[in-house]
Amino acid sequence: IKWRQANYATMGWNMGRIKASLDGAYNKDEVIQAANVIQAIANSGMGKLYVPGSDKGSGFHETKVKPELFTEGAKVGKIAGDFNAAANDLAKVAATGDAAAVKAAFGKLGGTCKSCHDDFRNK
């Protein structure tokens, strides 16, 4: 659980870096770095950190994973695949330096996060 939470904290921090750049003075290098970190974590095999029974317990804090995450494999797999594809796309688009394209790709990535949170994360 702790490793899982650490990875999501790192992704969240990097998503914040991208959002800050999109909301302020666009910094291509900052966005590329952050997008590459998100892509690396997304493709790291994080699904292996969701072992049965890890919907209970704590790492840095109590887990928010709902038990349904372990019983709705097809839905979880689709969301995870969509997340990986969106992370890969964001890294590709970030390399172009096109802020408008990054904003669109970032929104798609955020949508995949939201879909998982809506269905499989306790508030």
Side-chain angles (χ1 to χ4, degrees):
I1 294 170
K2 187 179 275 190
W3 286 108
R4 192 169 68 210
Q5 291 172 345
N7 278 292
Y8 285 113
T10 301
M11 278 195 290
W13 180 71
N14 281 283
M15 289 181 81
R17 291 170 66 194
I18 294 170
K19 182 166 179 9
S21 190
L22 290 169
D23 290 348
Y26 191 78
N27 183 322
K28 178 184 175 185
D29 292 333
E30 185 78 6
V31 170
I32 289 170
Q33 290 172 358
N36 287 341
V37 170
I38 294 166
Q39 179 186 39
I41 294 171
N43 289 285
S44 70
M46 280 202 37
K48 294 178 175 102
L49 297 174
Y50 288 92
V51 295
S54 67
D55 58 313
K56 296 174 185 68
S58 62
F60 295 103
H61 54 79
E62 193 68 26
T63 185
K64 295 178 182 171
V65 172
K66 291 182 179 179
E68 294 83 3
L69 183 118
F70 302 98
T71 59
E72 297 183 27
K75 188 173 185 179
V76 171
K78 175 164 181 1
I79 291 171
D82 291 348
F83 174 73
N84 285 9
N88 291 336
D89 186 54
L90 177 62
K92 179 180 166 187
V93 171
T96 70
D98 182 340
V102 167
K103 185 174 184 176
F106 186 67
K108 287 179 185 175
L109 178 68
T112 66
C113 296
K114 183 179 180 336
S115 66
C116 190
H117 288 195
D118 287 350
D119 293 339
F120 300 112
R121 184 175 191 229
N122 290 311
K123 307 276 184 253

